[in-house]
Amino acid sequence: MASELAAKAQGAFFEDDFERAVDLYTQAIKLNPNDADLFADRAQANIKLGYFTEAVADANKAIEVDPSMAKAYLRKGTALLKHEEYYSAKAALEKGSSLAKDARFTKLIKECEERVAEENRDLNGSSVSNMVPQSLDRNSGNLEVAVQQQNETHQRKEKEAVNPKYRHAFYQKPEEVVVTIFAKGIPANYVTIDFGEQILSVTIDVPGDDVYHFQPQLFQKIVPDKCRYEVLSTKIEMRLAKAEPINWTSLEYVAEVVPQKINSPSESYRPTYPSSKPRRVDWDKLEAEVKKEEKDEKLDGDAALNKFFGDIYKSADEDMRRAMNKSFVESNGTVLSTDWKDVGSKEVVGSPPDGMELKKW
């Protein structure tokens, strides 16, 4: 069935019906989520539609399934190039070129180098022209149309995120932006995060649930190699290293906003929490509430038991901890004592539950 849908998707692609091709590839992927070709082909259709962040996510998934697929690196490099992520595009294309000899890699790598050279020459240009991506400026011919195209892109993304599956927020420091997605109980192996020069790609793919994508074009450039993330029990936290000490008035790129540099950050600098709302929000109070929510989180089953024992261990003195470690190890996990006087001078014998037999392996 998946192969039939893929064949129909190819037909739709050749007929320039790219939206239908994406839809058919999506159906095929649901039936066969481990087929790297399906993700790489859907990436190509997304590129044709101008959905470059989605294309990068598809290419990354294809690479995850098959790291030796040169076609996936070609799709990723192409999407990043069109998204004006020239350094990241070049890195992806060079990796693909090492896997397969294809003249397209050489051509696109050269184009990346030319674009980087253009950017360097234009660094002293007007601040307004630097705010608008070069590809938009060339295609539209004037700033007004370019801004309109950029706004239409943002409007499309906003419509797609009317009912987001997970809430997200961000705050910033002079050197970094901290982005939080409030997703509880998500195993780390179901989370894929990629950092680009001016793009963040988050995918949460839990079996049995719809795939969650969060792929904003960022307000300003970041340093991907210095970015990091952590998957916690109640949230996913990403720390984006700023390329420049600029105040981010929003998380996503806005054409009309002129970036303002932070001139003299000090050690006493307090994180700022931008908001488009006219009313004042107490972000420190909100952060405290989130931490309290994590502390008071009600867990079930093994998670609750582990937290209970963890709390005991955390508040125990040295003798109690020694007693807990010794009794647990010697009894093969069937006895947990906090009395060092009782267990310190003898071997702790295992005590299995009623109806069960203790065996040593």
Side-chain angles (χ1 to χ4, degrees):
M1 185 64 179
S3 58
E4 294 177 5
L5 288 168
K8 291 180 180 178
Q10 279 187 332
F13 182 89
F14 290 130
E15 292 173 1
D16 292 342
D17 192 349
F18 305 121
E19 290 187 357
R20 183 165 179 268
V22 168
D23 182 58
L24 289 168
Y25 279 128
T26 301
Q27 295 178 45
I29 287 170
K30 288 181 179 179
L31 297 174
N32 189 2
N34 295 318
D35 189 332
D37 282 305
L38 293 176
F39 286 102
D41 291 341
R42 189 172 69 175
Q44 186 180 26
N46 274 320
I47 290 172
K48 291 291 187 180
L49 289 168
Y51 300 160
F52 304 129
T53 55
E54 290 84 349
V56 171
D58 279 342
N60 284 334
K61 185 63 178 179
I63 292 168
E64 179 184 334
V65 175
D66 183 2
S68 64
M69 178 178 280
K71 177 172 67 173
Y73 287 99
L74 180 63
R75 302 284 184 263
K76 180 177 181 178
T78 302
L80 288 169
L81 175 60
K82 290 181 177 295
H83 202 271
E84 301 190 351
E85 302 285 333
Y86 304 130
Y87 290 97
S88 298
K90 184 182 177 184
L93 293 167
E94 288 176 341
K95 176 63 177 177
S97 178
S98 70
L99 297 172
K101 292 183 178 180
D102 189 324
R104 289 177 294 180
F105 284 116
T106 304
K107 178 181 178 182
L108 291 172
I109 290 171
K110 182 179 179 181
E111 184 174 349
C112 287
E113 293 171 345
E114 291 174 351
R115 293 284 187 267
V116 170
E118 286 180 14
E119 275 195 345
N120 291 336
R121 285 196 298 269
D122 293 342
L123 282 178
N124 296 324
S126 66
S127 59
V128 174
S129 64
N130 284 338
M131 285 161 44
V132 181
Q134 294 176 7
S135 59
L136 287 178
D137 191 48
R138 285 192 295 270
N139 294 334
S140 63
N142 60 71
L143 178 61
E144 182 178 356
V145 177
V147 170
Q148 182 180 352
Q149 289 181 351
Q150 189 72 13
N151 288 340
E152 288 174 355
T153 300
H154 284 292
Q155 289 171 7
R156 174 180 63 79
K157 290 182 178 179
E158 289 173 0
K159 289 179 181 178
E160 291 173 353
V162 171
N163 297 307
K165 188 173 183 179
Y166 302 114
R167 182 170 61 90
H168 71 270
F170 85 101
Y171 67 88
Q172 65 177 305
K173 300 177 183 179
E175 73 283 355
E176 69 176 5
V177 174
V178 181
V179 182
T180 302
I181 296 178
F182 297 93
K184 288 187 177 181
I186 303 297
N189 57 307
Y190 295 147
V191 179
T192 303
I193 297 178
D194 290 294
F195 303 104
E197 292 170 47
Q198 199 170 346
I199 185 172
L200 170 65
S201 176
V202 181
T203 302
I204 302 176
D205 190 359
V206 179
D209 289 348
D210 292 336
V211 179
Y212 169 82
H213 292 295
F214 179 59
Q215 298 157 336
Q217 180 183 1
L218 300 173
F219 183 79
Q220 285 292 300
K221 290 186 177 182
I222 59 175
V223 183
D225 292 341
K226 293 183 179 180
C227 297
R228 62 192 188 279
Y229 71 92
E230 187 175 6
V231 180
L232 304 170
S233 61
T234 58
K235 61 184 179 180
I236 301 169
E237 186 174 87
M238 293 146 284
R239 294 184 175 273
L240 313 180
K242 293 181 179 180
E244 294 182 86
I246 289 175
N247 181 46
W248 289 29
T249 57
S250 67
L251 180 61
E252 297 194 40
Y253 175 81
V254 180
E256 300 89 339
V257 177
V258 178
Q260 299 292 328
K261 284 194 174 184
I262 301 173
N263 294 323
S264 56
S266 64
E267 293 182 1
S268 61
Y269 178 83
R270 293 287 297 169
T272 58
Y273 301 80
S275 174
S276 59
K277 297 181 181 179
R279 63 185 178 85
R280 181 177 178 82
V281 179
D282 189 343
W283 290 102
D284 291 328
K285 180 180 178 182
L286 179 60
E287 183 178 3
E289 289 175 353
V290 171
K291 290 181 178 178
K292 184 177 184 300
E293 180 182 342
E294 293 176 7
K295 182 178 179 181
D296 298 338
E297 180 186 12
K298 293 183 179 180
L299 303 174
D300 299 320
D302 291 341
L305 190 61
N306 289 335
K307 184 177 185 301
F308 174 71
F309 289 136
D311 291 341
I312 294 176
Y313 190 86
K314 187 186 299 183
S315 60
D317 59 27
E318 187 62 28
D319 283 344
M320 289 177 66
R321 292 184 179 182
R322 290 167 64 193
M324 292 176 72
N325 289 330
K326 185 175 186 296
S327 60
F328 188 81
V329 171
E330 292 183 354
S331 68
N332 292 318
T334 61
V335 175
L336 186 65
S337 173
T338 59
D339 188 353
W340 178 248
K341 292 181 180 179
D342 180 46
V343 300
S345 60
K346 66 179 182 180
E347 181 180 354
V348 181
V349 180
S351 178
D354 292 340
M356 300 187 70
E357 181 181 354
L358 181 65
K359 290 186 177 182
K360 293 185 178 180
W361 300 91

